[in-house]
Amino acid sequence: MITQEVEKETPQKQGMLNNVMRQFNNASDIIELNTNIRKILGITNNELVVHFPVKMDNGEVEVFTGYRVQHNNALGPYKGGLRYHPTVDIDAARALAMWMTWKTSLAGLPYGGAKGGIQLDPTKYSTSELERITRRFTYALGDNIGPELDIPAPDVNTNPQTMAWILDTYMSTKSPNERSTNMHVVTGKPIGAGGSEGRDRATGYSVFLNIKFWAAHTNTTLKNKKFIVQGFGNVGYWAAHFLENEGAKMVGVQDAFGSIYNPDGIDVESLLAYNQSHGNIVGFANTVSIPTEDFFSLACDICIPAALGNQITISNANAIKASVIAEGANGPTDVEAEQMLLQRGVAILPDILCNSGGVIGSYFEWLQNRNGEIWSLEEVMQKLEKKLYESFKKVIEVSENRNVDKRTAAFIIAIERLEQAYVQRGIFP
Ligand code: NAD
């Protein structure tokens, strides 16, 4: 979701790569991962940095820097989002690409992992400038992306419109008889432009379902449970929407512009309408503004970080009141904070499990495009739920059998699947 006005201070991104490597090494030590395979998985396959010029509305030319990091494709084409944000750089793209490899592997998809984006603040550009930036970036990426090679999707500050521009630009560079066979070069497209029913809500739905599965697993219900959401974009909104439908109550929300609180509840759909008309959540009726640093200490049962990485750190982990953290964002909790939370008995539903509905929804869109099929919303949501429940069950099983936390269990499942592929295939030549 692209919003106007000036963002509050850029959050820290340092350490995401450090975090994902520590998570990977921890799980690899436990399973005694083959050292040669550890070497392969510990590094990215390909890293592309492109500088490209774009004509601005005032006639001046600005040069942008874009990234695409392809971590691993042992299980299938590279897959992962494109982010438009000032914190995008090569290390952020590397870390996020690695998380995608573990996520697609855990979900049992025929995909590898990639991530990329452009280092920019989209609030500073007009829609037509963003369109030209996106199209020129796509052109610069050229055949380094492709429907059977590397398939981007939306992420922070990119949306179905961004994907439609990418698709159109990519198709336009192909010969006429190849154009319509390239529909699956991106996922998360608008429905009218080859998108799938349900892809819009798939990530938030998976955050919700994981919380619901967790509640059932711990013999509780979501009725009247209080939750807070950091990030009220695609993931945060849809997670809140489904939780509210289940009887839970949203009491706090934070976006890039500020934080709002009402212990009696904030109506999710009214806040969505307000956000759409105002460009942010600040000043919403019957809420009080609270300082950014107090957000994670709000009284609640469920905490959903659904914005950027490294938001839950040693500086706020001990203040968290929630008994479960459902990671909508990628890498929101750093390694030290996670240790502190686990010691206090806080459950963490890890990103590569909790938000995996997004890439599963993307897989369904890719399959439909590839096979010339169109599935109904009901069909997509049913298939999504089935797959998500399988992953949840596996993670709980491994976590209990090996006596490890849920993130480590998720990593173990993901890494073992990749290990098997390498062992069976061997290394060329
Ligand atoms: P989005 O652009 O739709 O929304 C991002 C939200 O985060 C906005 O409300 C924005 O104001 C807020 N935000 C930005 N900076 C913030 C800050 N410093 N503090 C508080 N809030 C801030 O993005 P999205 O697609 O909802 O993605 C959110 C997270 O979920 C990202 O970490 C992304 O990688 C992850 N994710 C997204 C998908 C997907 O399908 N879109 C899938 C899996 C994971």
Side-chain angles (χ1 to χ4, degrees), residues 1 3 7-9 11 83 85 103 115 154-158 199 203 230-236 254-257 306-308 311 328-330 355 358:
M1 246 171 236
T3 42
E7 288 196 40
K8 75 177 163 62
E9 81 185 60
R83 179 176 291 196
H85 199 272
K103 196 185 299 183
K115 201 83 170 199
D155 194 78
V156 176
N157 290 330
T158 57
R199 174 60 186 87
T203 313
Q230 185 196 41
F232 201 66
N234 174 277
V235 181
Q254 181 179 78
D255 72 0
F257 304 85
L308 301 173
Q311 298 298 301
N330 288 306
N355 69 35

Side-chain angles (χ1 to χ4, degrees), residues 1 9 24 27 43 52 59 84 91 106-107 110 128 140 144 172 231 239 292 295 315 331 334 340 355 363 385 405 416:
M1 246 171 236
E9 81 185 60
F24 166 64
I43 195 124
F52 53 96
Y84 288 2
D91 278 345
L106 171 65
S128 61
N144 291 292
S172 301
T292 305
F295 180 72
S315 62
D334 77 13
M340 292 164 68
N355 69 35
Y363 169 59
E385 176 158 2
D405 60 85
E416 282 182 338

Side-chain angles (χ1 to χ4, degrees), residues 98-133:
M98 282 196 180
W99 271 313
M100 284 308 300
T101 301
W102 317 135
K103 196 185 299 183
T104 53
S105 177
L106 171 65
L109 302 179
Y111 285 144
K115 201 83 170 199
I118 307 175
Q119 191 180 78
L120 94 177
D121 177 354
T123 61
K124 298 204 163 78
Y125 300 93
S126 69
T127 304
S128 61
E129 285 172 334
L130 287 170
E131 175 174 356
R132 289 196 296 281
I133 293 166

Side-chain angles (χ1 to χ4, degrees), residues 1-294:
M1 246 171 236
I2 295 170
T3 42
Q4 285 91 47
E5 297 182 32
V6 185
E7 288 196 40
K8 75 177 163 62
E9 81 185 60
T10 303
Q12 57 176 133
K13 63 149 183 2
Q14 291 81 7
M16 279 205 299
L17 187 55
N18 181 37
N19 284 332
V20 70
M21 284 306 296
R22 285 169 72 184
Q23 293 165 352
F24 166 64
N25 282 324
N26 172 43
S28 302
D29 287 345
I30 293 171
I31 59 170
E32 296 177 359
L33 176 67
N34 173 307
T35 50
N36 291 320
I37 296 172
R38 190 190 278 230
K39 278 186 219 160
I40 298 169
L41 294 177
I43 195 124
T44 60
N45 283 0
N46 306 306
E47 301 184 343
L48 187 66
V49 182
V50 291
H51 304 288
F52 53 96
V54 180
K55 214 185 280 173
M56 297 291 105
D57 290 345
N58 65 6
E60 294 294 311
V61 167
E62 208 170 307
V63 177
F64 294 87
T65 303
Y67 302 86
R68 187 70 180 169
V69 170
Q70 298 169 334
H71 172 241
N72 187 277
N73 63 346
L75 299 174
Y78 300 106
K79 186 87 189 81
L82 289 176
R83 179 176 291 196
Y84 288 2
H85 199 272
T87 59
V88 172
D89 67 7
I90 194 70
D91 278 345
R94 284 173 180 149
L96 291 160
M98 282 196 180
W99 271 313
M100 284 308 300
T101 301
W102 317 135
K103 196 185 299 183
T104 53
S105 177
L106 171 65
L109 302 179
Y111 285 144
K115 201 83 170 199
I118 307 175
Q119 191 180 78
L120 94 177
D121 177 354
T123 61
K124 298 204 163 78
Y125 300 93
S126 69
T127 304
S128 61
E129 285 172 334
L130 287 170
E131 175 174 356
R132 289 196 296 281
I133 293 166
T134 301
R135 288 183 181 276
R136 190 64 202 234
F137 178 43
T138 309
Y139 185 74
L141 290 173
D143 278 335
N144 291 292
I145 59 169
E148 305 291 329
L149 171 67
D150 182 355
I151 307 125
D155 194 78
V156 176
N157 290 330
T158 57
N159 55 30
Q161 177 62 76
T162 323
M163 299 303 115
W165 291 331
I166 296 175
L167 170 67
D168 186 64
T169 308
Y170 187 83
M171 281 166 91
S172 301
T173 63
K174 302 290 158 207
S175 65
N177 71 336
E178 283 181 346
R179 281 182 196 154
S180 64
T181 59
N182 284 285
M183 195 70 102
H184 50 312
V185 66
V186 277
T187 55
K189 300 178 287 289
I191 297 197
S196 171
E197 292 286 353
R199 174 60 186 87
D200 54 354
R201 63 208 69 187
T203 313
Y205 189 57
S206 86
V207 174
F208 157 71
L209 276 183
N210 272 284
I211 298 169
K212 196 175 156 186
F213 297 154
W214 177 248
H217 183 72
T218 53
N219 291 320
T220 177
T221 73
L222 297 179
K223 197 144 184 56
N224 297 324
K225 291 285 187 308
K226 292 184 172 182
F227 65 94
I228 59 172
V229 190
Q230 185 196 41
F232 201 66
N234 174 277
V235 181
Y237 160 69
W238 281 108
H241 166 93
F242 290 112
L243 277 167
E244 189 181 67
N245 282 354
E246 196 75 12
K249 200 190 281 183
M250 180 164 80
V251 294
V253 186
Q254 181 179 78
D255 72 0
F257 304 85
S259 309
I260 57 172
Y261 177 57
N262 180 349
D264 297 326
I266 301 169
D267 183 71
V268 174
E269 304 310 319
S270 308
L271 183 63
L272 176 73
Y274 181 89
N275 189 37
Q276 280 165 346
S277 58
H278 288 72
N280 65 70
I281 59 163
V282 180
F284 181 62
N286 301 322
T287 62
V288 291
S289 271
I290 56 158
T292 305
E293 59 277 13
D294 293 347

